[in-house]
Amino acid sequence: MLTVTEAAMRSFATASDPRMGEVMALLVKHLHAFVAESKLTKEEWMRGLTFLTAAADITTEERNEFSLLSDVLGISSMVDVVSQPVGGTSSSVLGPFHNHDSQLQPNGVDLTKGQAGERTWLHGRVVDKNGKPVANAELDFWQNADNGLYPAQDSEQDPHNLRCKIHCEADGSFELLTIRPHPYTVPTDGPVGAMLAAAKRSIWRPAHYHVIVSAPGYVGLVTELFPAGSAYIDNDTVFGVREGLIVDFKPCQNAEVAKRYNLQEPFNEVQFEFCLVKN
Ligand SMILES: [Fe+2]
């Protein structure tokens, strides 16, 4: 006779989508192993189901507690790690604040528009694995404001504040003027927040820029750039930091750039090369 695990795994063999059958059988295999290894009690399992029910109850169109759960368990980052093509820039978590309707701006756009924050000249190139420029790649960029909030969390901000799309030049180069980002906490008013509190875990993410880089013929890259020395960089509650994504904010004296953006020197300079991998 089959064991419970063998029978439950085999029950997915009839799936019309073979990949769905494979994934579900493996999920059952590892969940059963978890129950066996932890000697999970009935009471603990009921607490788990109550937790998932509370996550469903608080989930809306704008706020998904299951995405947050995936993030704080490190699963989002693991999916990034195993699905990442070899040789390109490391990917990192998308996070909950990406908007699909960011406006296309000219390369070199000034996103600061008089708001508070350390002026930061972000520039670099998009290249392939051989270092050749990827002409006209698109960068979709977003970050939080000097108060640590994204526009979705702050009705005082323009909904398009500190976010844009730009297209690189033919030589792969790009630049924009923005501000230094800030650390922020994940939402703590739901069951995931209660779990983090019970575990005495940090609720903080280190400061970061979000960038999605895409170009026809290349695998899209969803990533983040983290200022070196940012608080919480060694203790990101969603495990998004990769060594190659930590960038220096260097004091810069460049009269041409200062004049173009009407900046006082020194301002921050961040330089980064995004490497895309062909499909
Ligand atoms: Fe973020």
Side-chain angles (χ1 to χ4, degrees), residues 10-216:
R10 198 170 286 188
S11 72
F12 287 102
T14 50
S16 52
D17 176 352
R19 175 63 179 162
M20 180 263 190
E22 179 189 15
V23 169
M24 289 307 298
L26 283 170
L27 182 64
V28 161
K29 176 182 172 183
H30 289 279
L31 285 175
H32 285 214
F34 151 71
V35 172
E37 186 177 346
S38 64
K39 297 188 171 57
L40 202 68
T41 66
K42 288 180 183 174
E43 187 200 4
E44 287 165 343
W45 182 235
M46 285 312 297
R47 283 178 69 181
L49 293 181
T50 302
F51 173 90
L52 291 174
T53 305
D57 286 344
I58 202 169
T59 292
T60 63
E61 283 277 306
E62 289 79 35
R63 184 258 172 81
N64 190 325
E65 194 76 354
F66 293 99
S67 291
L68 180 61
L69 179 61
S70 165
D71 289 350
V72 303
L73 294 182
I75 296 171
S76 306
S77 280
M78 274 304 293
V79 173
D80 280 338
V81 167
V82 301
S83 61
Q84 179 167 357
V86 178
T89 296
S90 296
S91 60
S92 186
V93 294
L94 176 68
F97 297 113
H98 177 246
N99 276 283
H100 291 280
D101 66 344
S102 279
Q103 294 162 336
L104 184 64
Q105 301 284 354
N107 183 37
V109 63
D110 178 356
L111 298 176
T112 62
K113 299 192 174 75
Q115 67 196 288
E118 283 181 29
R119 269 38 187 172
T120 303
W121 178 42
L122 171 62
H123 68 111
R125 288 201 312 158
V126 180
V127 298
D128 67 13
K129 283 206 296 189
N130 301 316
K132 295 225 172 75
V134 177
N136 304 317
E138 182 178 278
L139 268 67
D140 186 344
F141 173 90
W142 69 107
Q143 68 164 99
N144 60 2
D146 206 46
N147 62 3
L149 299 175
Y150 287 86
Q153 304 167 297
D154 180 4
S155 59
E156 300 289 305
Q157 287 183 51
D158 181 293
H160 286 275
N161 192 33
L162 295 171
R163 66 184 171 99
C164 68
K165 290 176 180 169
I166 55 174
H167 286 164
C168 300
E169 305 294 335
D171 64 356
S173 65
F174 68 87
E175 64 176 320
L176 56 83
L177 186 74
T178 188
I179 61 169
R180 179 188 281 273
H182 292 277
Y184 63 86
T185 66
V186 296
T188 55
D189 56 342
V192 172
M195 179 189 74
L196 295 174
K200 297 190 170 66
R201 269 184 56 175
S202 167
I203 57 174
W204 287 88
R205 295 214 63 206
H208 54 270
Y209 293 133
H210 291 276
V211 191
I212 298 176
V213 189
S214 55

